Amino acid sequence: ALASPPAMISFTVTEAPMQNFSLLDLSPVPEGKTAGDALAATVDLAQHAERLGYHRYWLAEHHNMPGIASAATSVVIGHVAGATKIMPIGAGGIMLPNHAPLVIAEQFGTLAALHPGRIDLGLGRAPGTDMETARALRRDRNSNAMEFPRDVEELQAYLGDPTPDQRVRAVPGAGSKVPIWLLGSSLFSARLAAQKGLPFAFASHFAPEALLDALQVYRDNFQPSAQLERPYAMAGVGVFAADSDEEGAFLATSMQQQFVNLRRGRPGPLPPPVESMDGIWSPLEAEGVRQAMKYAMVGAPDTVREGLRQFRDLTGVDELMITGGIFDHDKRLRSFRIAADICREL
């Protein structure tokens, strides 16, 4: 389930207990279900995660994807926060190029006013969709991902303490100091997070290639800030845990099919699992999916435990962000329960 680290990576990490483990939920819409069904399952999963001791619960912004129900991410965050008690709820993430920073400051300032101390704001610079939909989402024709550093700075100003001469304020939002994370799958956001002294989350659950390089860049270049004194890194992993390796592999085929459909330009609901992917994907597609799911832990508890231990020792991350697109809701709940039991032991 876990590949060996690339030889070019030089830093080593000593074994240390995993302090925090969290959950990323894309609110998957299984075939035959509705967005309403998916959002109800999200609430149930969040309550389940809180009972199991997950540290935080994140939802993510995607658009024009029939298999994901969390497009209006701030709305879903508010709904989930209202249905839970103490667990921080946040965005993993908001795709900032799609929005005016003031709008996000107001939305998350409102969430923070409703749920004090429980709201996270993770920011990404990708559109979270295809390019045609991205053009439909743009706040103006000139908006693009290269403005991301400036947009982050503007958003920080809206969420920070207002200055006497500040004419535009986020109300609610000003002075809320909602914790900001930078998300990424490349060195760009790692370097920016380091420069700004922000926590950094890497999307290794679907784009693993630059993980170790990005962590090294982040740690080597980190500059303390008012928000964070020392580097704090999170990385995403997929978990498809079950009673046996065979059942775990069976459950993971839903996610494999969804990856194939997305790469063919035909996104759709989360398919039911299949006994074999033979005849569904080409050899090239199979290799692409295996690479994307390089850090997926698939199988029985002992198999998943060993994979998560290797990942922790390889990366030395401060927090794991666990996700998993499993078709059957009860099987999904069980997978996250197994993952929580394992993480508490690591």
Side-chain angles (χ1 to χ4, degrees), residues 25-308:
D25 177 17
L26 301 184
S27 295
V29 184
E31 282 186 13
K33 300 291 186 178
T34 67
D37 296 328
L39 294 170
T42 280
V43 168
D44 186 56
L45 178 58
Q47 293 169 337
H48 183 76
E50 188 167 61
R51 291 191 296 268
L52 290 173
Y54 278 87
H55 182 61
R56 71 181 87 241
Y57 193 97
W58 276 5
L59 296 130
E61 177 185 351
H62 293 82
H63 299 280
N64 199 29
M65 293 189 182
I68 296 176
S70 57
T73 315
S74 59
V75 177
V76 183
I77 288 170
H79 184 57
V80 172
T84 51
K85 297 177 180 178
I86 59 173
M87 183 173 56
I89 312 294
I94 291 294
M95 302 297 106
L96 195 53
N98 296 338
H99 310 279
L102 177 60
V103 171
I104 298 305
E106 291 172 340
Q107 289 178 359
F108 280 79
T110 301
L111 288 168
L114 292 168
H115 308 283
R118 294 186 56 208
I119 301 300
D120 297 329
L121 175 51
L123 301 172
R125 69 186 185 107
T129 188
D130 59 273
M131 294 313 298
E132 185 175 356
T133 306
R135 285 191 291 271
L137 283 164
R138 291 289 180 222
R139 58 183 189 262
D140 63 62
R141 293 291 182 184
N142 297 318
S143 176
N144 63 74
M146 297 313 296
E147 296 178 359
F148 184 65
R150 187 186 67 186
D151 288 346
V152 171
E153 188 172 331
E154 183 179 346
L155 179 56
Q156 286 180 300
Y158 287 134
L159 294 173
D161 292 325
T163 59
D165 60 346
Q166 186 174 335
R167 295 178 61 85
V168 178
R169 300 187 182 189
V171 183
S176 64
K177 300 183 177 67
V178 174
I180 290 177
W181 292 67
L182 294 192
L183 318 181
S185 58
S186 69
L187 304 188
F188 182 95
S189 290
R191 189 169 288 111
L192 183 62
Q195 291 170 354
K196 290 187 169 294
L198 295 173
F200 175 58
F202 192 88
S204 39
H205 57 292
F206 73 89
E209 277 306 295
L211 170 64
L212 299 182
D213 286 329
L215 291 175
Q216 186 162 339
V217 164
Y218 174 63
R219 290 165 174 150
D220 288 350
N221 295 279
F222 184 83
Q223 300 175 25
S225 69
Q227 181 175 333
L228 196 62
E229 293 182 358
R230 58 182 183 272
Y232 190 93
M234 174 198 290
V237 293
V239 171
F240 302 83
D243 292 334
S244 67
D245 287 349
E246 293 76 16
E247 185 184 3
F250 174 69
L251 297 178
T253 61
S254 292
M255 195 77 254
Q256 291 169 339
Q257 292 176 79
Q258 194 165 60
F259 270 122
V260 169
N261 291 338
L262 185 61
R263 293 182 180 210
R264 290 175 178 173
R266 299 199 300 265
L270 185 68
V274 293
E275 292 295 338
S276 173
M277 289 292 292
D278 292 344
I280 295 176
W281 57 15
S282 69
L284 184 62
E285 288 170 333
E287 180 57 32
V289 172
R290 291 190 186 104
Q291 181 57 37
M293 297 179 68
K294 177 180 180 179
Y295 295 126
M297 317 305 167
V298 180
D302 286 346
T303 303
V304 172
R305 180 181 295 106
E306 182 57 26
L308 290 176

